[in-house]
């Protein structure tokens, strides 16, 4: 209720609550023994699959397929371009090759390229925004996050290896193996669980199938086959979603269950953002944060207003209006995935704290500046609250 009254996203107030609560505990002299690095496994292996699977399960698969070309362009070529542009601007902006080498800039650029549409989609629901616009924003985030996580893993591996053994061909081959390997695992398991979802009866049984499918896809891909667990979860979720859409009478409970799961996951993640924020981040890295925010906005603008219009000229692609482009640009918020990846940076990398500080600065900017003003942008392009 307070978030609605003051016009801030619920997630923004969770960050404030986590920060004030943790500062109060420290000020009172308590030490619970918790440190930020304890949260990595919780976020990456428990909460992240929930967010990915829930998005895949509830997206309109038919609309997704209809708009697949622009979504893929947003999620892969534009994401990679944004990573490179952000990295270059950060590298030359910070201008400290020893303390912030190019691999650190690329790592930061990759992390900051992950979008989170939760706050934007809430506004979309309130104003009953066009289904195509919601699908473009949600679809971009869904595929974008999976691609970013694969890229992040490769860059972390490169940052920890001997640069003399590095080759562009090796990275490309590894990326393709991890990325398409995850898709293959997801397709196989998705087919299996789609059949199981069809034959079992009752809402509880179908819900159990959906939970097992999400985590089994992640564990099999990530831990046993060493391919992208997130891509596997994404594809499995799309298969189950396709089957769920054909059985609407038993889908309401499954939908509400996953909506609840994602709600809890988002609450925990944004509380953890507040808990792991320190005042030192702002006193020691405020300039790097500002450079990061400017770099992200510039890279996003180039991708959306220069590259995306080219997709409208492709065959069988419905043009994307300037109004939609403006909303997609300003609605490219950073949230749960950025936090998860920032918490995943190994302490062995001496620049880990600076990268994490920049990531948190960008997340806070999107929560406290972009999210509250997205309604204003929508009004400017003709989408008003009803």
């Amino acid at each position: 209720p307070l978030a609605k009254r003051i016009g801030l996203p619920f997630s923004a107030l969770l960050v404030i609550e986590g920060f004030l609560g943790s500062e109060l505990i420290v000020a009172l002299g308590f030490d619970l023994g918790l440190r930020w690095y304890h949260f990595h496994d919780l976020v990456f292996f428990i909460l992240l699959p929930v967010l990915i699977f829930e998005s895949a399960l509830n997206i309109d698969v038919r609309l997704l397929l209809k708009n697949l070309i622009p979504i893929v362009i947003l999620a892969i070529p534009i994401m990679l371009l944004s990573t490179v542009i952000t990295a270059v601007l950060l590298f030359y902006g910070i201008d400290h090759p020893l303390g912030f080498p190019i691999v650190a800039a690329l790592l930061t650029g990759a992390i900051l390229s992950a979008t989170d549409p939760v706050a934007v989609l809430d506004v979309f629901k309130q104003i009953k925004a066009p289904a195509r616009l919601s699908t473009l924003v949600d679809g971009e985030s869904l595929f974008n996050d999976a691609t970013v996580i694969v890229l992040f893993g490769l860059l972390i591996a490169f940052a920890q290896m001997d640069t003399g053994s590095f080759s562009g061909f090796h990275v490309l081959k590894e990326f393709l193996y991890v990325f398409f390997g995850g898709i293959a695992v997801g397709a196989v398991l998705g087919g299996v669980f789609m059949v199981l979802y069809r034959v079992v009866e009752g809402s509880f049984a179908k819900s159990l199938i959906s939970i097992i499918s999400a985590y089994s896809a992640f564990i099999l891909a990530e831990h046993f086959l060493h391919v992208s667990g997130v891509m596997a979860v994404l594809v499995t979720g799309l298969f189950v979603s396709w089957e769920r859409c054909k059985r609407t009478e038993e889908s309401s409970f499954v939908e509400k269950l996953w909506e609840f799961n994602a709600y809890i996951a988002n609450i925990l993640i944004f509380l953890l953002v507040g808990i792991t924020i320190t005042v030192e981040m702002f006193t020691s890295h405020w300039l790097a944060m500002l450079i990061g925010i400017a770099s992200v906005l510039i890279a996003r603008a180039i991708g959306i207003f220069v590259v995306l219009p080219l997709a409208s000229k492709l065959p069988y692609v419905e043009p994307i209006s300037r109004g939609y482009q403006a909303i997609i640009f300003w609605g490219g918020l950073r949230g749960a995935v950025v936090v998860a990846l920032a918490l995943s940076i190994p302490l062995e990398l001496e620049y880990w704290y600076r990268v994490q500080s920049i990531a948190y600065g960008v997340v806070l900017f999107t929560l406290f500046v972009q999210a509250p003003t997205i309604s204003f942008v929508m009004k400017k392009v003709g989408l008003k609250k009803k």
Side-chain angles (χ1 to χ4, degrees):
L2 178 61
K4 291 180 180 179
R5 181 176 294 272
I6 63 178
L8 279 178
F10 178 47
S11 49
L13 285 192
L14 289 172
V15 172
I16 296 174
E17 183 183 353
F19 175 72
L20 294 179
S22 61
E23 290 296 312
L24 179 62
I25 289 173
V26 173
L28 293 175
F30 293 106
D31 186 355
L32 303 179
L34 292 174
R35 301 295 181 267
W36 69 264
Y37 44 80
H38 293 150
F39 302 131
H40 163 254
D41 287 354
L42 170 66
V43 172
F44 206 79
F45 298 114
I46 305 298
L47 304 181
L48 205 54
V50 169
L51 296 176
I52 297 292
F53 191 85
E54 190 270 341
S55 294
L57 189 69
N58 289 320
I59 199 168
D60 189 324
V61 180
R62 294 175 180 84
L63 262 179
L64 177 70
L65 293 174
K66 185 178 178 181
N67 294 280
L68 190 59
I69 293 176
I71 286 173
V72 169
I73 290 173
L74 279 166
I76 301 179
I78 289 180
M79 184 279 294
L80 293 173
L81 178 66
S82 296
T83 297
V84 173
I85 293 173
T86 303
V88 170
L89 293 174
L90 278 169
F91 181 72
Y92 289 104
I94 293 175
D95 195 24
H96 197 312
L98 294 179
F100 197 73
I102 189 64
V103 67
L106 285 169
L107 194 60
T108 312
I111 292 174
L112 297 180
S113 296
T115 58
D116 181 2
V118 172
V120 178
L121 292 177
D122 285 342
V123 177
F124 283 3
K125 290 176 184 177
Q126 293 173 22
I127 67 171
K128 298 180 181 178
R132 186 183 185 226
L133 178 59
S134 299
T135 302
L136 286 171
V137 172
D138 202 11
E140 178 204 3
S141 175
L142 191 58
F143 287 92
N144 167 299
D145 291 350
T147 311
V148 164
I149 291 168
V150 174
L151 181 62
F152 173 82
L154 292 176
L155 288 172
I156 285 290
F158 169 58
Q160 294 179 308
M161 69 188 284
D162 177 16
T163 55
S165 59
F166 168 75
S167 72
F169 175 75
H170 172 75
V171 169
L172 178 61
K173 185 175 74 171
E174 188 68 17
F175 177 85
L176 293 175
Y177 169 75
V178 172
F179 186 83
F180 288 104
I183 292 176
V185 172
V188 172
L189 288 182
V192 172
F193 285 109
M194 188 171 70
V195 173
L196 287 174
Y197 192 91
R198 183 184 305 164
V199 297
V200 300
E201 296 181 356
S203 299
F204 289 173
K206 290 184 182 296
S207 298
L208 184 59
I209 290 295
S210 67
I211 293 172
I212 293 172
S213 67
Y215 283 105
S216 61
F218 187 86
I219 293 170
L220 178 63
E222 194 77 25
H223 295 283
F224 292 100
L225 300 178
H226 306 294
V227 295
S228 173
V230 173
M231 284 304 305
V233 172
L234 164 60
V235 176
T236 302
L238 291 175
F239 270 78
V240 176
S241 175
W242 181 267
E243 184 62 31
R244 186 181 70 85
C245 289
K246 294 189 291 185
R247 285 161 172 74
T248 54
E249 71 281 355
E250 293 179 317
S251 294
S252 177
F253 181 83
V254 178
E255 180 183 341
K256 290 296 181 183
L257 173 67
W258 278 99
E259 184 180 338
F260 174 75
N261 291 341
Y263 180 74
I264 296 297
N266 269 299
I267 285 178
L268 289 174
I269 284 177
F270 286 107
L271 278 173
L272 291 179
V273 173
I275 290 169
T276 53
I277 285 175
T278 63
V279 175
E280 186 189 354
M281 283 183 173
F282 301 95
T283 57
S284 61
H285 292 105
W286 62 270
L287 182 57
M289 287 180 176
L290 292 177
I291 295 171
I293 292 167
S295 301
V296 165
L297 291 176
I298 292 170
R300 182 75 174 171
I302 293 172
I304 300 302
F305 296 120
V306 178
V307 179
L308 185 59
L310 300 177
S312 300
K313 299 180 181 179
L314 295 173
Y316 311 110
V317 175
E318 184 182 343
I320 300 170
S321 69
R322 295 292 288 183
Y324 277 24
Q325 291 172 29
I327 295 171
I328 293 170
F329 162 69
W330 197 244
L333 308 184
R334 270 64 180 175
V337 174
V338 172
V339 174
L341 297 180
L343 289 171
S344 305
I345 303 170
L347 294 180
E348 295 79 33
L349 302 177
E350 57 187 30
Y351 43 79
W352 70 270
Y353 189 62
R354 177 170 290 178
V355 175
Q356 189 180 85
S357 299
I358 295 170
Y360 275 30
V362 172
V363 169
L364 293 177
F365 175 80
T366 64
L367 286 178
F368 289 95
V369 178
Q370 287 181 267
T373 56
I374 189 66
S375 295
F376 173 77
V377 175
M378 291 179 180
K379 290 177 183 178
K380 283 293 183 182
V381 301
L383 291 177
K384 299 180 180 180
K385 284 194 176 186
K386 299 180 181 180

